Amino acid sequence: MSTHITPGSATRPPSAPAGTPRTGTGTGTGTGTATKTGAGRSGPRPRPRLRTHPNPHHATWTSKAVVNGLLALFALYTLLPLTWLLVASTKDHGDLVGTGGFTFADFNLFANLGELFGHGDGVFGRWLLNSVLYFGVGCLASTLVSTAVGFAFDKYDFRHKEKLFGLVLLGVLVPSAVLVLPQYLLASKAGLDNTYWSVLVPLLVNPFGVYLARVFSEGYIPNEVVEAARMDGAGEWRVFRSVGLPMLAPGFVTLFLFTFTSSWNNFVLPLYMLSDDRLYPVTLGLAIWSKSSQQNPEFAMLTIVGALVSVVPLVVAFVCLQRFWRSGLTAGAVK
């Protein structure tokens, strides 16, 4: 007698008693009890637990504390020299030597200011006016030139435009101190050495200002506005003067402050170009006084008070123009 076994059917051996449960040998559906041969456990597997910070508010507070601490440390590092300068300017020469650097003594600030502006027939006042001429008027003209060139690089298409702009970027990589000697030789050949023009003319060329002006022009002036002005009959100069400059006001002020700050603190160019002390800017004059204080202690106090006075124009410029340059620094941000 032959037994036909279909795939997936549940059978029991012929010799097994009638009560033996059937065993499944395939994929069929039987009514018997199926035994699972596996090492794993039956039932759904538990979900993996995600690692979370025990207190996310504590992590946020810690990060803020670290950032604020670093900012406070940098602010302290920046303000300590200015604080010492302010305290030292209120002392006389004896208290400057005999007291601590941050210890107040007899208040002599106004007397020191009188000596400063009265020394050498008021030469310090002349130096201060020279600095305003060199680095105020000169940097204003430099900013205007840089803005016009950056606007042209952004809004005009001409031959070899990007190659010329690459040359401008190469000029950014060259330190200004390296160019001082060639500039002096050129000024000497032109007969401009030891004149105001020997300091003013080199300030007009600012490759970094051209780069920033192009960035500001791309961020502030849409091309559609320029095309609309041209369609209304405005010439190219009027487009720049009446459309470009008003829209570039925040970038213009930011660029002016960058140029003004770097030029005000630079005395290498005037040192090479000028030999008449009546033409010195205030930074060069203070450097000469500081060197002379080694032989004459009187110049030490004059140098300290003069350094305090020389900081005032920078502070006034930043405070008065802060609403412009703060918005200019965000040019190109997501609006």
Side-chain angles (χ1 to χ4, degrees):
M1 178 177 179
S2 62
T3 303
H4 180 69
I5 300 175
T6 60
S9 63
T11 60
R12 65 172 177 263
S15 59
T20 304
R22 297 179 180 181
T23 59
T25 59
T27 57
T29 56
T31 58
T33 303
T35 60
K36 183 177 182 180
T37 59
R41 295 181 300 176
S42 61
R45 295 182 179 179
R47 295 182 179 179
R49 299 181 62 183
L50 299 178
R51 287 188 175 183
T52 58
H53 198 279
N55 191 352
H57 298 287
H58 177 72
T60 304
W61 181 87
T62 304
S63 62
K64 288 183 178 179
V66 172
V67 172
N68 292 333
L70 291 176
L71 291 177
L73 183 62
F74 287 133
L76 184 65
Y77 175 79
T78 304
L79 294 177
L80 273 181
L82 186 60
T83 305
W84 178 89
L85 188 65
L86 181 61
V87 173
S89 299
T90 62
K91 304 177 182 180
D92 57 16
H93 187 268
D95 292 333
L96 180 65
V97 178
T99 60
F102 296 95
T103 303
F104 283 98
D106 295 336
F107 190 81
N108 292 287
L109 178 61
F110 296 109
N112 293 336
L113 290 174
E115 293 181 6
L116 174 67
F117 286 96
H119 180 79
D121 296 330
V123 67
F124 182 81
R126 180 68 178 269
W127 292 346
L128 205 58
L129 292 177
N130 291 340
S131 294
V132 173
L133 175 62
Y134 292 143
F135 311 124
V137 178
C139 291
L140 186 63
S142 173
T143 304
L144 183 61
V145 172
S146 299
T147 304
V149 177
F151 178 83
F153 271 116
D154 176 39
K155 301 305 178 186
Y156 293 97
D157 291 327
F158 48 88
R159 189 177 181 183
H160 303 307
K161 169 184 170 180
E162 296 302 329
K163 293 181 179 179
L164 291 176
F165 190 71
L167 292 177
V168 173
L169 295 181
L170 287 178
V172 177
L173 301 177
V174 180
S176 58
V178 177
L179 302 176
V180 171
L181 184 57
Q183 290 171 350
Y184 169 74
L185 296 176
L186 291 174
S188 179
K189 288 290 184 180
L192 297 178
D193 57 317
N194 199 30
T195 62
Y196 288 107
W197 296 106
S198 62
V199 179
L200 285 172
V201 172
L203 291 176
L204 298 178
V205 181
N206 187 4
F208 183 68
V210 174
Y211 166 73
L212 281 184
R214 182 177 183 179
V215 173
F216 288 139
S217 178
E218 292 174 352
Y220 282 113
I221 307 176
N223 295 329
E224 293 80 5
V225 176
V226 177
E227 293 298 331
R230 291 170 179 168
M231 291 178 64
D232 290 340
E236 298 303 328
W237 169 247
R238 188 174 180 182
V239 169
F240 172 71
R241 177 175 55 86
S242 301
V243 178
L245 271 182
M247 299 182 72
L248 282 173
F252 184 90
V253 174
T254 304
L255 180 56
F256 170 76
L257 288 176
F258 283 161
T259 308
F260 180 72
T261 304
S262 60
S263 300
W264 185 275
N265 296 324
N266 183 18
F267 68 95
V268 178
L269 179 64
L271 178 63
Y272 275 78
M273 295 293 185
L274 304 174
S275 58
D276 185 2
D277 60 349
R278 305 291 293 183
L279 301 178
Y280 286 173
V282 64
T283 50
L284 180 57
L286 290 177
I288 300 299
W289 278 0
S290 178
K291 186 176 181 180
S292 301
S293 63
Q294 299 176 1
Q295 290 79 25
N296 190 352
E298 176 190 2
F299 287 103
M301 181 56 67
L302 293 176
T303 303
I304 293 174
V305 181
L308 179 65
V309 174
S310 67
V311 175
V312 173
L314 296 176
V315 176
V316 171
F318 273 92
V319 170
C320 294
L321 302 175
Q322 63 175 339
R323 69 186 185 93
F324 291 100
W325 69 266
R326 288 177 63 182
S327 59
L329 288 177
T330 61
V334 178
K335 297 182 180 180

